[in-house]
Amino acid sequence: MISILDSRMTRMQPGKNASLEIKNLTTQNEFNDYITQVKSPRLDLEKKFSAFGRGKKQWAVPGFCEVCEKQTLFYMDWNFSDQQTPNYRERLVCPSCLLNNRQRWVMTYLKCALKVLAPTPAVYLFEQTTPFYRWAASRLSNTALIGSEYLGFAAQPGSLINGIRHEDAMNLSFADASLDVIVSNDVLEHVPVYERALEESARVLREKGKLIFSIPFYTNRDETSPRARLEHNAVKLLLPAEYHGPCLVFHDFGWDLLPACRRAGFRQAQMLLYYSPGFGYLGNGCQFIFIAEK
Ligand SMILES: [Zn+2]
């Protein structure tokens, strides 16, 4: 599934002085085997980076932003961290595109995926008021781009409210097989019934269409565990409430997510691991997103 990235890597690496390692896999055993092999030198390097930030409010890590296609200084601080190790997944923010580690990789993957599609592919982002959407809207000019936010129970899917489109991930307004790519950056954990959101994404994607998504994911868990659920439009907490910004977390995802993607109508679903100090992709020895293909 990632052959588009293989061809890109051979083009990109020379001259940019950065190596990128990517790997796709589908099971916890494969993940454990991989991380055991690669972890030690990577965590040593990250410890050195972390030590550099000790006692500082903010600092910079040099690297090449694949989104902006230029050398830059990625912004670091201690936000979203345990104050011992910085949160590399959420930081390493490029000062030009304003995207963090995982968002830059998702955008890079999206740019590669678009290259092999027919002209003017229909791309839908589960966000509209973010730097990610703004960058896509201003730079991905050869796509039919749609973004949306969730604007509450009462809003009609597909409607515009003050210029912002409302969509409910569990009840999308798009026609069947009408989109080529969907991008979801840390959204699914906030959807009350994520299986329904996966079914809806599969429904509105064309054959071979891709759902590119990131989520907080527990690599040591077989099963996804619910933190909360909706009962008659009221939230019932099953575990102490956890919020990302204003959004309640409904699920802590584990490896049964991948078979859930297949049950929802995707032909295949994989975890895509990526790591590169030179491109500012650090944290826990490897980072990852998910790709589901219809
Ligand atoms: Zn950038």
Side-chain angles (χ1 to χ4, degrees):
M1 194 196 290
I2 55 170
S3 56
I4 50 168
L5 286 174
D6 297 341
S7 60
R8 160 183 158 268
M9 282 171 67
T10 54
R11 281 201 317 278
M12 291 197 63
Q13 287 183 39
K16 290 182 179 170
N17 199 27
S19 66
L20 169 68
E21 180 161 337
I22 57 176
K23 180 174 181 60
N24 56 337
L25 49 78
T26 56
T27 67
Q28 187 172 7
N29 283 343
E30 286 176 290
F31 178 86
N32 288 341
D33 287 349
Y34 175 79
I35 198 73
T36 303
Q37 283 173 33
V38 301
K39 184 165 72 173
S40 182
R42 293 182 181 182
L43 292 183
D44 287 347
L45 178 71
E46 288 174 19
K47 269 187 202 144
K48 282 183 198 157
F49 279 118
S50 303
F52 182 76
R54 194 90 42 223
K56 299 183 179 75
K57 245 177 123 170
Q58 56 192 60
W59 66 100
V61 173
F64 188 90
C65 177
E66 293 198 281
V67 174
C68 298
E69 299 184 4
K70 66 178 184 187
Q71 197 69 26
T72 191
L73 292 170
F74 296 116
Y75 177 87
M76 286 295 300
D77 59 29
W78 295 94
N79 287 353
F80 316 115
S81 82
D82 61 5
Q83 305 301 312
Q84 300 301 311
T85 305
N87 190 331
Y88 289 107
R89 181 180 189 266
E90 297 302 315
R91 308 314 287 155
L92 289 164
V93 178
C94 169
S96 302
C97 59
L98 304 179
L99 305 186
N100 66 20
N101 180 351
R102 63 181 164 84
Q103 294 163 331
R104 285 186 288 107
W105 175 245
V106 169
M107 187 66 88
T108 298
Y109 186 90
L110 172 63
K111 286 202 292 180
C112 290
L114 293 177
K115 280 183 190 160
V116 298
L117 292 175
T120 329
V123 177
Y124 169 52
L125 312 182
F126 275 102
E127 57 194 292
Q128 195 183 347
T129 59
T130 60
F132 191 96
Y133 175 85
R134 285 193 286 276
W135 195 94
S138 64
R139 306 297 178 87
L140 301 179
S141 51
N142 56 344
T143 63
L145 186 77
I146 305 157
S148 74
E149 299 285 340
Y150 179 75
L151 301 176
F153 293 120
Q156 184 68 26
S159 63
L160 285 182
I161 299 174
N162 296 327
I164 306 299
R165 178 180 179 132
H166 166 76
E167 291 289 350
D168 178 344
M170 299 190 294
N171 181 26
L172 295 171
S173 70
F174 305 104
D176 294 1
S178 58
L179 301 175
D180 295 291
V181 181
I182 299 176
V183 177
S184 169
N185 287 311
D186 278 25
V187 171
L188 278 182
E189 72 271 25
H190 303 296
V191 177
V193 186
Y194 73 89
E195 299 94 329
R196 180 84 197 113
L198 291 173
E199 285 168 9
E200 275 294 86
S201 290
R203 176 183 70 77
V204 301
L205 280 169
R206 296 193 177 107
E207 191 89 357
K208 299 208 168 161
K210 281 187 168 76
L211 169 63
I212 304 167
F213 65 102
S214 68
I215 42 166
F217 185 84
Y218 291 82
T219 56
N220 58 348
R221 291 192 191 180
D222 292 330
E223 292 184 358
T224 298
S225 44
R227 297 192 65 90
R229 65 168 175 254
L230 272 193
E231 287 182 2
H232 310 294
N233 282 346
V235 171
K236 179 170 183 197
L237 290 177
L238 306 170
L239 289 172
E242 184 179 312
Y243 287 89
H244 300 160
C247 301
L248 181 69
V249 176
F250 279 84
H251 319 281
D252 289 337
F253 286 109
W255 286 96
D256 60 352
L257 173 70
L258 293 175
C261 289
R262 292 190 281 273
R263 279 197 304 278
F266 289 98
R267 208 161 35 85
Q268 52 179 343
Q270 305 191 26
M271 173 188 269
L272 177 63
L273 294 87
Y274 65 102
Y275 196 82
S276 169
F279 290 126
Y281 304 139
L282 298 165
N284 297 331
C286 80
Q287 294 285 304
F288 47 79
I289 62 171
F290 296 85
I291 313 291
E293 187 171 307
K294 187 170 172 184

